[in-house]
């Protein structure tokens, strides 16, 4: 039980990567706040965790980028967890695949609000209490397309580049006070398609050492490592869990 006795807040925890992280943390002994916009999906995740003997509660939140929304989530999660948050996972995000020329100003502002402003102000709300408590771990979610350009999703990739930069800045700011800040950069990660079916996104993982999409649980395993004492000497990194997408070129024989 690598996270026994710890408390954790995971944003965007009602599906895919966020859900897998919440489930993995609970399986390792943490009391987890599952946060998201959908109460139905959130309570489903919580019920599943509890059915397996874990501890979890749902806190509904619409992280629209306002400081007030982030502060409210931090306060409610702290209350439900009994007074402290040991681990924060900034996972919630939105991904419009629009091209640059088809992106309107409203969409631009919304994506930066959800993907950058919300975790910025949530971290600002949570980190001081972690410092006061003697330590903590903050894990941000980046993306492989923050460093490897593709012709769609420029807006989204720029927000993930911002989160990776914030990871290093926050490691410098909060690390000396006992709070470790790191990031995970996933490759293409989706739940497995039905047998005999291929997801359209799979083509983006062709020509990698893994030669497949990743599963949410593979990102969750990395999050458990970064949240646990095993990574006590790890600060300010972006951990690529992407099947080799950004670092390796496989040349066909």
């Amino acid at each position: 039980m690598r996270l026994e006795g710890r408390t954790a807040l995971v944003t965007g925890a009602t599906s895919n990567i966020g859900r897998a992280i919440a489930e993995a943390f609970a399986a390792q002994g943490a009391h987890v706040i599952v946060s998201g916009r959908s109460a139905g999906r959130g309570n489903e995740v919580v019920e599943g965790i509890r059915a397996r003997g874990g501890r979890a509660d749902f806190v509904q939140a619409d992280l629209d980028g306002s400081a007030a929304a982030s502060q409210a989530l931090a306060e409610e999660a702290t209350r439900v967890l009994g007074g402290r948050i040991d681990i924060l996972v900034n996972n919630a995000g939105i991904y419009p695949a629009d091209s640059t020329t088809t992106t309107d100003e409203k969409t631009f502002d919304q994506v930066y609000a959800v993907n950058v402003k919300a975790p910025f102000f949530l971290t600002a709300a949570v980190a001081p209490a972690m410092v006061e408590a003697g330590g903590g771990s903050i894990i941000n979610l980046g993306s492989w397309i923050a460093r490897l350009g593709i012709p769609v999703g420029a807006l989204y990739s720029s927000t993930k580049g911002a989160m990776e930069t914030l990871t290093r800045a926050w490691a410098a700011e909060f690390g000396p006070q006992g709070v470790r800040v790191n990031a995970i950069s996933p490759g293409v990660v989706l739940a497995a398609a039905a047998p005999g079916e291929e997801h359209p996104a799979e083509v983006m993982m062709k020509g990698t050492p893994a030669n497949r999409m990743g599963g949410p649980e593979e990102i969750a395993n990395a999050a458990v490592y970064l949240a646990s004492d095993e990574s006590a000497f790890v600060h300010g990194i972006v951990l690529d869990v992407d099947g080799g997408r950004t670092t390796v070129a496989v040349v066909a024989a």
Side-chain angles (χ1 to χ4, degrees):
M1 304 293 278
R2 296 152 74 188
L3 302 177
E4 184 70 41
R6 310 282 176 89
T7 61
L9 166 59
V10 182
T11 68
T14 60
S15 64
N16 203 27
I17 290 174
R19 176 173 184 162
I21 290 174
E23 291 172 343
F25 280 4
Q28 290 296 330
H31 182 183
V32 182
I33 293 296
V34 173
S35 179
R37 289 177 293 182
S38 170
R41 291 194 302 174
N43 286 319
E44 179 187 343
V45 176
V46 167
E47 288 169 9
I49 288 173
R50 290 177 176 174
R52 293 186 290 273
R55 298 182 66 197
D57 291 280
F58 175 69
V59 173
Q60 190 168 24
D62 183 3
L63 295 176
D64 58 5
S66 66
S70 291
Q71 181 68 42
L73 173 58
E75 290 176 358
E76 180 62 8
T78 299
R79 184 191 69 79
V80 175
L81 290 171
R84 75 180 199 277
I85 298 171
D86 298 318
I87 305 159
L88 168 63
V89 180
N90 286 312
N91 168 73
I94 53 177
Y95 175 61
D98 302 342
S99 69
T100 298
T101 56
T102 58
T103 299
D104 58 34
E105 186 175 10
K106 180 180 179 181
T107 300
F108 185 99
D109 291 343
Q110 181 186 25
V111 174
Y112 262 85
V114 175
N115 292 9
V116 182
K117 282 186 68 180
F120 183 95
F121 286 112
L122 185 56
T123 298
V126 170
M130 287 182 172
V131 171
E132 187 175 348
S137 175
I138 298 173
I139 303 168
N140 299 319
L141 268 293
S143 173
W144 65 282
I145 61 173
R147 279 166 289 140
L148 183 64
I150 62 173
V152 293
L155 176 59
Y156 174 83
S157 65
S158 71
T159 66
K160 290 305 180 179
M163 288 309 299
E164 293 188 5
T165 297
L166 284 171
T167 296
R168 292 183 285 270
W170 286 338
E173 183 175 356
F174 300 118
Q177 302 173 78
V179 179
R180 294 187 302 107
V181 185
N182 294 288
I184 300 171
S185 176
V188 179
V189 174
L190 292 166
E197 294 183 5
E198 184 174 281
H199 194 282
E202 286 190 51
V203 69
M204 290 190 287
M205 293 302 291
K206 299 296 184 183
T208 67
N211 202 40
R212 63 172 176 83
M213 296 192 303
E217 68 283 353
E218 293 173 299
I219 309 304
N221 290 338
V224 169
Y225 165 70
L226 289 175
S228 73
D229 291 339
E230 295 168 16
S231 60
F233 199 49
V234 180
H235 291 259
I237 70 159
V238 177
L239 179 59
D240 293 323
V241 188
D242 63 2
R245 175 75 283 175
T246 56
T247 56
V248 181
V250 175
V251 180

